[in-house]
């Protein structure tokens, strides 16, 4: 026991990192309630109370930002069963070589960087030269300018995300499925249950806790997922449906230098995220599975 | 299987295989397409005549990309950030996760609660940016490696690994032999932990390789740009760098610029994504292991 201080020494680099890079910015968040001026510093700048928040709530774009942020994320959330279906289907494959190949291929897109992936999306959807519009024209329709028509933005963003992550998202369910007691399946077989029935009555209930945990975690990130990719796919013309809270914070804060105001907008986002997480965790507790 | 397959099971098997094939085709088609497009004449690609196998094979795209000094610069910077950044990640993550996995650590609950809190609540973009600026890290390599020096999720995964695989008896024995905790960690625990070190190096490494946002906000000096930022200019903003323009011979027509843009587009995608996509199938089991350990509940 006398040597325990060495454990704290091992802990030290990490603790310093979290204090400096995670907790200090939380201290810096106070500029949301101040008029930050670099000369005065974070502590010395003058308090303005909730002025920035009120300005944000009263702004003409407030509801658009909320609508886009929630819209994109709820749309994405609605697709979460796809990864579960992929996992259930892979799990039923008996040919283990084919299973492994299928896994390798479906996981691969996860490793493509969002910059390259955004480039792929833009290239494929190009109205004049993209493969998708070539196909549309082949069928005798007019080409669609996907990237500049706001109506398409959410679908492009959400479905391309799904393409990139449907396999990777299935891994965790596959892990849960591997833990299902084979005796359950044997017993069900003897009772004459079909494969589909066994999936429905054995496999899905077994992975339900995993599904719930992942759903809560996704809810907790509800308003911040994927903004780096949104930023890449955004352009002047699709802005009305692609501007979300986080990209707005980037634009008004870093490009236009309104530090206090955009910190307030970001803080609003973080607080909502946190409240959603707590709410759904409460809800999930009734099912017996929760984060804490 | 001891029990015979019924007819409905056979039907199920066929449907299931079709479903999996559907996913395989959906996923692999765009990947095959960019490979083929990268070595095809853009005229065939743009008109839709090239839709699966390369047409009018040419390597001009790759030649132009390889002649481009900025792509090389970006590549070099990215490799450096990936190696150095991953080293820092491991230096922070492994000792911390080990200490947190030990029962005798007093105050563990409080420390864990404080750490986990950062997963769900953060200071946000602007306060973090101001911090980096005040630390004088703008336009330095530190901005690329320090702000992401550790990820809480990875620490939890590593901690779970240590908890499960390093029995308490082991270090007690080492202690009786007079080894300090740091020595135990370095000389006994780490050599037993090769799998988790590999997993973490890969997780963090991929993150650094693909990172662009920190570079976008913290770097202005082109000499420090990682590959992803140069790619962003070419693929997303569709600006040809002056260098690529000059390669095309200064006063050539706009259509020539467009042709060059088209021809290098798919080649740069391949050049950036290929290293990971080629290496990953061989390392797949490590990645999977990482996700699996993460799913173990305490």
């Amino acid at each position: 026991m006398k040597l325990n201080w060495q454990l704290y020494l091992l802990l030290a680099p990490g603790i310093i990192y979290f204090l400096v890079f995670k907790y200090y910015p939380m201290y810096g968040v106070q500029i949301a309630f101040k008029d930050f001026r670099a000369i005065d510093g974070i502590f010395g700048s003058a308090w303005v109370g909730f002025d920035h928040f009120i300005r944000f709530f009263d702004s003409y774009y407030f509801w658009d930002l909320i609508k886009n942020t929630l819209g994109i994320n709820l749309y994405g959330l609605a697709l979460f069963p796809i990864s579960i279906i992929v996992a259930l289907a892979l799990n039923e494959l008996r040919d283990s070589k084919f299973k492994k190949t299928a896994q390798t291929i479906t996981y691969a897109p996860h490793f493509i960087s969002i910059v390259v992936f955004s480039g792929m999306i833009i290239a494929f959807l190009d109205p004049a030269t993209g493969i998708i519009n070539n196909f549309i024209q082949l069928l005798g329709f007019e080409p669609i300018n996907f990237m500049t028509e706001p109506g398409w933005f959410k679908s492009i963003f959400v479905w391309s995300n799904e393409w990139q992550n449907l396999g990777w998202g299935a891994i965790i369910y596959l892990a849960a499925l591997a833990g299902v007691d084979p005796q359950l399946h044997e017993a069900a077989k003897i009772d004459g249950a079909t494969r589909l029935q066994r999936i429905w009555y054995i496999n899905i209930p077994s992975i339900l806790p995993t599904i719930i945990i992942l759903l809560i975690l996704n809810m907790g990130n509800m308003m911040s997922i994927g903004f780096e990719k949104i930023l890449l796919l955004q352009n002047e013309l699709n802005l009305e449906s692609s501007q979300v809270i986080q990209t707005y914070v980037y634009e008004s804060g870093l490009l236009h230098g309104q530090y206090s105001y955009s910190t307030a907008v970001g803080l609003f986002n973080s607080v909502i995220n946190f409240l959603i997480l707590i709410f759904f965790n409460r809800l999930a507790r009734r099912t017996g599975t929760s984060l804490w | 299987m001891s029990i015979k397959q019924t007819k409905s099971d056979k039907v199920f098997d066929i449907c299931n295989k079709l479903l999996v094939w559907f996913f395989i085709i959906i996923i692999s088609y765009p990947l095959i397409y960019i490979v083929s497009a990268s070595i095809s004449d853009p005229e065939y690609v743009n008109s839709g005549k090239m839709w699966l196998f390369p047409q009018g094979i040419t390597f001009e795209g790759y030649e132009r990309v390889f002649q481009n000094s900025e792509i090389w610069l970006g590549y070099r910077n990215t490799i450096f950030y990936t190696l150095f950044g991953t080293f820092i990640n491991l230096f922070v993550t492994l000792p911390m996760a080990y200490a947190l996995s030990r029962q005798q650590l007093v105050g563990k609950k409080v420390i864990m609660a404080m750490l986990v809190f950062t997963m769900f609540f953060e200071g946000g973009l602007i306060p973090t940016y101001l911090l980096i600026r005040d630390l004088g890290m703008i336009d330095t390599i530190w901005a690329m490696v320090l702000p992401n020096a550790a990820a809480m999720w990875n620490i939890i995964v590593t901690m779970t690994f240590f908890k499960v695989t390093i029995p308490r008896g082991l270090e007690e024995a080492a202690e009786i032999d007079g080894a300090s905790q740091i020595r135990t960690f370095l000389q006994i625990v780490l050599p037993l932990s090769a799998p988790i070190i590999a997993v973490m190096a890969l997780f963090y490494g991929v993150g650094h390789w693909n990172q662009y946002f920190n570079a976008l906000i913290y770097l202005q000096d082109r000499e420090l740009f990682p590959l992803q930022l140069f790619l962003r200019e070419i693929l997303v903003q569709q600006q040809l760098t002056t260098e690529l323009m000059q390669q095309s011979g200064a006063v050539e027509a706009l259509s020539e610029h467009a042709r060059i843009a088209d021809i290098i587009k798919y080649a740069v995608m391949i050049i950036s994504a290929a290293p990971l996509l080629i290496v990953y199938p061989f390392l797949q089991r490590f990645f999977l292991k990482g996700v699996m350990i993460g799913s173990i509940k305490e």
Side-chain angles (χ1 to χ4, degrees):
Chain A
M1 288 308 117
K2 60 185 187 294
L3 287 175
N4 259 352
W5 62 271
Q6 293 208 340
L7 277 185
Y8 293 97
L9 202 62
L10 289 172
L11 215 49
I15 296 288
I16 292 168
Y17 166 75
F18 278 93
L19 285 179
V20 173
F21 289 95
K22 298 289 171 184
Y23 275 92
Y24 185 79
M26 288 188 208
Y27 164 81
V29 136
Q30 58 179 282
I31 65 170
F33 305 95
K34 290 181 164 179
D35 249 332
F36 176 72
R37 292 196 312 164
I39 336 164
D40 301 330
I42 291 170
F43 189 73
S45 296
W47 291 96
V48 296
F50 285 89
D51 281 9
H52 299 299
F53 293 89
I54 292 166
R55 195 181 128 207
F56 177 55
F57 298 148
D58 286 343
S59 67
Y60 67 94
Y61 44 75
F62 175 73
W63 287 110
D64 281 343
L65 288 182
I66 299 284
K67 213 174 66 194
N68 288 338
T69 309
L70 281 180
I72 287 176
N73 284 289
L74 288 174
Y75 192 164
L77 209 58
L79 303 188
F80 90 93
I82 294 177
S83 278
I84 301 174
I85 293 170
V86 172
L88 291 170
L90 287 171
N91 189 53
E92 293 298 322
L93 291 176
R94 293 182 172 179
D95 177 349
S96 65
K97 222 173 190 173
F98 177 58
K99 183 175 170 182
K100 206 163 172 250
T101 314
Q103 282 174 291
T104 305
I105 292 169
T106 45
Y107 303 160
H110 177 78
F111 295 94
I112 299 173
S113 79
I114 44 174
V115 174
V116 168
F117 189 40
S118 300
M120 281 169 66
I121 295 169
I122 292 168
F124 289 166
L125 295 177
D126 190 281
T129 61
I131 172 93
I132 292 181
N133 271 310
N134 280 328
F135 187 68
I136 289 173
Q137 278 168 301
L138 199 73
L139 296 178
F141 297 101
E142 288 292 301
I144 301 169
N145 203 340
F146 289 100
M147 293 313 297
T148 56
E149 245 168 74
W152 282 100
F153 185 84
K154 292 187 176 74
S155 294
I156 292 167
F157 177 79
V158 168
W159 283 101
S160 63
N161 262 2
E162 200 53 36
W163 180 83
Q164 191 171 23
N165 293 312
L166 63 86
W168 192 255
I171 296 176
I172 200 146
Y173 298 118
L174 276 170
L177 284 168
V180 176
D181 184 355
Q183 284 186 337
L184 285 175
H185 282 282
E186 289 302 325
K189 259 190 248 175
I190 292 163
D191 288 345
T194 63
R195 301 270 294 274
L196 222 48
Q197 282 172 322
R198 281 190 279 139
I199 291 176
W200 188 254
Y201 292 108
I202 300 174
N203 285 351
I204 293 182
S206 315
I207 60 172
L208 203 57
T210 311
I211 296 174
I212 293 173
I213 291 282
L214 289 183
L215 268 179
I216 305 172
L217 284 173
N218 283 341
M219 296 287 185
N221 280 325
M222 175 75 109
M223 298 176 79
S224 51
I225 274 178
F227 97 97
E228 297 181 3
K229 188 174 139 207
I230 297 180
L231 200 61
L232 289 168
L233 294 176
Q234 212 169 53
N235 56 50
E236 301 267 298
L237 294 167
N238 66 22
L239 213 53
E240 71 173 81
S241 73
S242 66
Q243 187 78 297
V244 295
I245 295 179
Q246 293 228 304
T247 52
Y248 181 72
V249 170
Y250 168 76
E251 190 189 301
S252 73
L254 293 183
L255 300 184
H256 302 145
Q258 307 184 53
Y259 292 137
S260 278
Y261 176 63
S262 51
T263 302
V265 177
L267 179 61
F268 167 77
N269 196 35
S270 303
V271 169
I272 299 284
N273 261 338
F274 197 57
L275 293 179
I276 292 175
L277 178 79
I278 290 173
F279 174 78
F280 280 98
N281 195 51
R282 278 262 161 87
L283 210 65
R285 243 188 243 171
R286 292 186 195 163
T287 69
T289 314
S290 63
L291 286 177
W292 64 82
Chain B
M1 294 283 135
S2 55
I3 293 169
K4 265 192 303 186
Q5 274 197 308
T6 62
K7 205 172 188 182
S8 80
D9 280 355
K10 271 182 199 151
V11 175
F12 174 88
D13 255 339
I14 293 168
C15 293
N16 188 53
K17 259 200 180 144
L18 285 176
L19 181 67
V20 173
W21 270 110
F22 169 76
F23 284 120
I24 291 178
I25 291 168
I26 294 273
I27 299 268
S28 47
Y29 179 67
L31 299 177
I32 296 170
Y33 180 86
I34 56 169
V35 174
S36 296
S38 74
I39 53 171
S40 294
D41 187 325
E43 223 166 278
Y44 291 101
V45 178
N46 292 345
S47 59
K49 280 183 200 124
M50 195 303 289
W51 61 275
L52 183 64
F53 295 113
Q55 302 276 323
I57 292 182
T58 163
F59 294 95
E60 194 189 340
Y62 287 96
E63 279 164 25
R64 282 191 185 273
V65 174
F66 282 124
Q67 282 162 13
N68 183 289
S69 64
E70 284 198 325
I71 296 280
W72 284 114
L73 175 70
Y75 231 92
R76 216 179 49 218
N77 286 338
T78 291
I79 290 172
F80 174 74
Y81 296 141
T82 302
L83 292 178
F84 187 42
T86 306
F87 172 78
I88 291 178
N89 291 140
L90 295 179
F91 177 77
V92 174
T93 302
L94 295 172
M96 184 175 218
Y98 175 71
L100 288 170
S101 76
R102 297 301 96 183
Q103 299 224 306
Q104 65 268 39
L105 186 78
V106 182
K108 194 185 133 191
K109 269 217 165 120
V110 181
I111 298 171
M112 269 310 279
M114 278 181 67
L115 294 178
V116 170
F117 181 68
T118 64
M119 290 172 85
F120 301 118
F121 192 82
E122 50 171 29
L125 184 62
I126 307 300
T128 309
Y129 173 81
L130 292 176
L131 168 71
I132 303 297
R133 201 180 67 174
D134 291 346
L135 290 173
M137 296 194 333
I138 300 288
D139 268 334
T140 66
I141 56 168
W142 302 107
M144 293 303 292
V145 292
L146 287 183
N148 292 327
M152 194 49 207
W153 180 252
N154 288 342
I155 292 175
I156 293 176
V157 171
T158 313
M159 192 182 86
T160 311
F161 176 90
F162 285 140
K163 226 182 248 171
V164 174
T165 56
I166 310 290
R168 178 132 168 69
L170 190 76
E171 18 150 40
E172 270 169 6
E175 239 166 87
I176 290 165
D177 287 347
S180 68
Q181 279 161 328
I182 289 178
R183 251 188 74 191
T184 311
F185 171 68
L186 291 176
Q187 295 184 345
I188 299 175
V189 175
L190 280 189
L192 287 172
S193 308
I196 197 70
I197 297 173
V199 168
M200 284 302 126
L202 288 171
F203 274 12
Y204 282 121
V206 170
H208 286 292
W209 187 272
N210 288 338
Q211 163 70 255
Y212 96 94
F213 189 71
N214 279 355
L216 177 71
I217 61 179
Y218 299 136
L219 301 180
Q220 272 112 48
D221 181 357
R222 290 179 80 82
E223 286 295 308
L224 292 174
F225 275 14
L227 183 61
Q228 299 299 328
L229 274 196
F230 291 118
L231 294 182
R232 173 173 169 268
E233 288 177 359
I234 296 171
L235 294 173
V236 177
Q237 301 180 316
Q238 307 194 333
Q239 298 165 349
L240 285 187
T241 59
T242 37
E243 192 185 326
L244 281 165
M245 297 277 211
Q246 278 156 9
Q247 279 172 19
S248 75
V251 260
E252 270 168 288
L254 212 62
S255 67
E256 175 64 6
H257 288 315
R259 197 187 71 83
I260 291 165
D262 282 333
I263 206 164
I264 65 165
K265 194 161 60 180
Y266 293 102
V268 289
M269 288 181 196
I270 301 290
I271 286 169
S272 152
L276 285 184
L277 289 182
I278 289 169
V279 168
Y280 128 82
F282 301 102
L283 301 173
Q284 191 178 349
R285 62 198 178 92
F286 288 111
F287 285 107
L288 296 189
K289 198 170 221 158
V291 181
M292 306 271 182
I293 300 170
S295 68
I296 297 173
K297 267 211 101 177
E298 277 181 59

